[in-house]
Amino acid sequence: MRTVRTLAAALVAGTALLGLAGCTAEETPSASSTSSPSQNTSRSTGSSTDEDTAKAPAEAGTSFRTATVIRPGQSGTAQASTGDYLYWQFPADAEDRTTVRATVKLPDAATRHGSHRWQLDVYDGLRRHQACRYGSNSKSAPAGAASVELSCALRTVRAWSEPWANDPLPGAYYIRLTVTDAPDQDLGLPVSAEVSATTDDVGGASSVDGSLAEPLVPASGPSVEPEDGWSSGWWSSRWLWTAGGAALAALAGIWGYTLTRGNGRPRHVPPGL
């Protein structure tokens, strides 16, 4: 019975170890993010500090090659004209889930001649258009509206993918903001725009086997990587769960063997047998 009690205690300890692994996986570094209806928590790369705010870019690129770099959790602003194509760039690593938001302050209502439809598009490092899991990435603003707000919640970035798949991969992601429908008389009117990308690390639940040799970033031109570097999918909380599960399986096997082999003493044999 002492052996059984000892093994039972060891099994309980193994269970606690597995629980600790789960807690460790969930306690990813986080920082304040921009306020939003979903109140997402940013990764450590999205730290919102006075220094980051001071360095926030106040312009946008006009193409993929000249896209202005912003960090997750950092806002980028720009003054432009209705009809311009505005581009920003941000990094996204394996197991990241990003939500992109944009706010456009429209020209004065007295100068407009009708409604304006704005659209927010996101492209990966291969310049493939990325679908939104949810959000309003295209919205029409009535003639009297002062602003329009857009959002796009992207799919989780995977460390690796089959060549035929369209999964989002680690690397640079591009934001494109433009008006898609407006009266010709309104083209050229001044607007101001603000965009942000808020990133959550969803952990090992979305990890996969394999990883890219290199993240998909521009060969030349502006680019930025996460503050803690590219993980490329080599580490995830699945390692903790795997180790905890292996420990529990080993303890369960020892316990089962002890129960089935008996106490090792010879059984009493009745006389005459």
Side-chain angles (χ1 to χ4, degrees), residues 108-175:
D108 187 86
T111 64
R112 303 205 305 266
H113 298 80
S115 63
H116 291 192
R117 174 169 287 276
W118 283 79
Q119 185 161 316
L120 175 71
D121 295 303
V122 182
Y123 300 83
D124 68 2
L126 297 176
R127 300 185 185 179
R128 300 177 302 179
H129 186 265
Q130 294 297 304
C132 304
R133 293 187 298 120
Y134 58 85
S136 301
N137 68 316
S138 181
K139 188 178 295 184
S140 181
S147 64
V148 60
E149 296 184 356
L150 307 168
S151 66
C152 178
L154 300 172
R155 295 175 295 162
T156 303
V157 177
R158 296 167 63 89
W160 178 84
S161 179
E162 295 287 351
W164 47 262
N166 193 36
D167 297 315
L169 297 170
Y173 280 72
Y174 298 92
I175 303 170

Side-chain angles (χ1 to χ4, degrees), residues 122-261:
V122 182
Y123 300 83
D124 68 2
L126 297 176
R127 300 185 185 179
R128 300 177 302 179
H129 186 265
Q130 294 297 304
C132 304
R133 293 187 298 120
Y134 58 85
S136 301
N137 68 316
S138 181
K139 188 178 295 184
S140 181
S147 64
V148 60
E149 296 184 356
L150 307 168
S151 66
C152 178
L154 300 172
R155 295 175 295 162
T156 303
V157 177
R158 296 167 63 89
W160 178 84
S161 179
E162 295 287 351
W164 47 262
N166 193 36
D167 297 315
L169 297 170
Y173 280 72
Y174 298 92
I175 303 170
R176 186 177 72 182
L177 179 66
T178 190
V179 65
T180 57
D181 186 24
D184 292 341
Q185 304 95 309
D186 292 354
L187 297 180
L189 293 178
V191 295
S192 61
E194 179 179 359
V195 299
S196 65
T198 305
T199 301
D200 298 325
D201 187 341
V202 300
S206 299
S207 61
V208 296
D209 295 328
S211 62
L212 294 180
E214 297 289 342
L216 302 174
V217 297
S220 61
S223 181
V224 68
E225 67 178 33
E227 291 183 354
D228 51 359
W230 297 104
S231 69
S232 297
W234 71 271
W235 166 259
S236 75
S237 59
R238 288 203 310 173
W239 287 96
L240 300 176
W241 286 99
T242 301
L248 286 178
L251 292 173
I254 296 173
W255 188 17
Y257 173 75
T258 303
L259 293 177
T260 56
R261 76 182 181 93

Side-chain angles (χ1 to χ4, degrees), residues 61-78:
T62 56
S63 67
F64 286 103
R65 291 182 177 274
T66 61
T68 299
V69 173
I70 60 172
R71 290 189 176 276
Q74 184 184 52
S75 295
T77 60

Side-chain angles (χ1 to χ4, degrees), residues 4-31:
V4 173
R5 287 196 297 270
T6 301
L7 290 173
L11 184 61
V12 172
T15 305
L17 174 64
L18 186 58
L20 178 61
C23 293
T24 303
E26 293 177 359
E27 293 176 358
T28 53
S30 61

